[in-house]
Amino acid sequence: MTSVDLLVGYVPMHNNRFRQVVLIIAVLALIAGIYFSLRSQPDLLREARLGPVFVLALFAVPATIYFNALEFVLSARLIGHKIGLKSAAETSVIGGVANMLPLPGGVLVRVAALKAEGASVARSTSVMAFVAFIWAAVSFGYAGAWLVISGATAFGLSFIALGCIGVIGCFALSMHLLDDHIITAQLFACKAGLVLVDAFRLYLCLLAINVAAEFGQASVLTVSGFVGSSFSIVPAGLGIREGVSALLGPLVGLTAAAAFLASAANRIIGLMVSAPLALLLAWKAGDQAKTGVA
């Protein structure tokens, strides 16, 4: 047993009280980050613009839901199962909101949905991990390209190298183990769409807080989404995603405060749209269960 295994063994991930404490700490970290960001740049919200917020809520967030649903359809197809886009969208919405609970809710919801279609837990978990590797490859490669364009060449080339390694690794794995590089290519295209939409969302959030930003600057911040989600101990990467954005922002001419607040606004507005949808879907599912409707 390695030292990493021993360390993981000491983390009581299955203890609900432990996860609740982690969630509370993450929320406090997010609140503290927002407070100090506003304290360092108090003018950021004084002239907030509602136009970009409406575009984000009405168009960009639904686009994210669509791409997440399409990704889940392709993930199921990769292991030989068919899931409709509507069902996949419901799973994606509920899973996205469940991520905020003190457990890896999004993964559990998706694995449960695949299991209901007849897939094993092991294969369902494996395909979720595989898609996460694709996300890493796309997000690092994309952010790296914009870092190079912005002049942060050393960081940019490092990110691009990670992205290239990820692409090669994922296709090698798909050809030798999954035997379906066509769907893998489709998953890469889908993830590219998701990353572009996330960049657009962050760009809108920067405009909403009245920051004169460019799309390329917002694009660099997209890698924070993957990094945040990688810390499964913290629900939905709460606070981590925003912190990584604050670290990346100055590399492309954004202040740490502006990058942090834009990332926080992106999360909050996304939840404001997704949470009511998730509640509606859960209520609808409960009614169907009572009436026996499939």
Side-chain angles (χ1 to χ4, degrees):
M1 183 177 290
T2 66
S3 58
V4 175
D5 293 328
L6 287 171
L7 181 61
V8 172
Y10 282 112
V11 180
M13 293 301 292
H14 299 293
N15 186 298
N16 288 333
R17 180 62 60 85
F18 173 77
R19 286 189 169 277
Q20 287 169 355
V21 170
V22 170
L23 178 60
I24 292 170
I25 293 172
V27 170
L28 291 176
L30 181 63
I31 293 172
I34 292 173
Y35 170 76
F36 286 112
S37 295
L38 289 175
R39 188 175 178 182
S40 67
Q41 286 191 268
D43 294 331
L44 280 177
L45 293 185
R46 286 179 183 172
E47 298 180 6
R49 299 160 62 188
L50 292 179
V53 174
F54 285 124
V55 175
L56 176 61
L58 296 178
F59 299 101
V61 174
T64 298
I65 293 171
Y66 168 76
F67 276 110
N68 276 325
L70 182 60
E71 174 198 300
F72 190 57
V73 169
L74 292 171
S75 300
R77 196 177 299 169
L78 193 62
I79 54 175
H81 295 275
K82 290 186 178 180
I83 292 179
L85 191 62
K86 179 183 176 183
S87 176
E90 293 176 353
T91 300
S92 298
V93 169
I94 295 172
V97 176
N99 265 337
M100 296 306 300
L101 298 173
L103 71 163
V107 174
L108 291 179
V109 168
R110 287 169 173 80
V111 169
L114 288 173
K115 188 173 182 293
E117 296 295 324
S120 68
V121 173
R123 283 178 64 80
S124 301
T125 305
S126 296
V127 77
M128 293 296 103
F130 181 69
V131 171
F133 283 125
I134 292 176
W135 186 11
V138 172
S139 60
F140 274 101
Y142 178 72
W146 281 109
L147 280 168
V148 170
I149 292 170
S150 300
T153 308
F155 280 102
L157 291 177
S158 298
F159 278 29
I160 290 172
L162 287 173
C164 290
I165 292 171
V167 171
I168 294 169
C170 287
F171 274 104
L173 187 63
S174 70
M175 286 188 286
H176 288 88
L177 297 179
L178 300 172
D179 195 29
D180 202 330
H181 56 279
I182 300 298
I183 296 179
T184 299
Q186 292 173 334
L187 278 167
F188 265 101
C190 183
K191 271 300 184 188
L194 266 170
V195 170
L196 284 172
V197 171
D198 193 37
F200 182 56
R201 288 175 57 167
L202 287 162
Y203 175 62
L204 288 171
C205 288
L206 287 166
L207 295 181
I209 59 176
N210 208 31
V211 174
E214 297 179 358
F215 182 76
Q217 291 173 301
S219 293
V220 171
L221 305 183
T222 57
V223 76
S224 65
F226 169 75
V227 176
S229 69
S230 300
F231 289 83
S232 59
I233 190 174
V234 180
L238 194 63
I240 294 175
R241 178 181 299 183
E242 291 78 8
V244 172
S245 292
L247 291 174
L248 292 172
L251 294 176
V252 289
L254 295 172
T255 64
F260 188 101
L261 288 174
S263 188
N266 188 26
R267 178 195 298 277
I268 292 167
I269 296 169
L271 280 172
M272 287 174 64
V273 175
S274 298
L277 283 175
L279 288 173
L280 179 63
L281 290 170
W283 173 74
K284 181 180 177 183
D287 273 0
Q288 289 178 343
K290 289 178 183 177
T291 59
V293 178

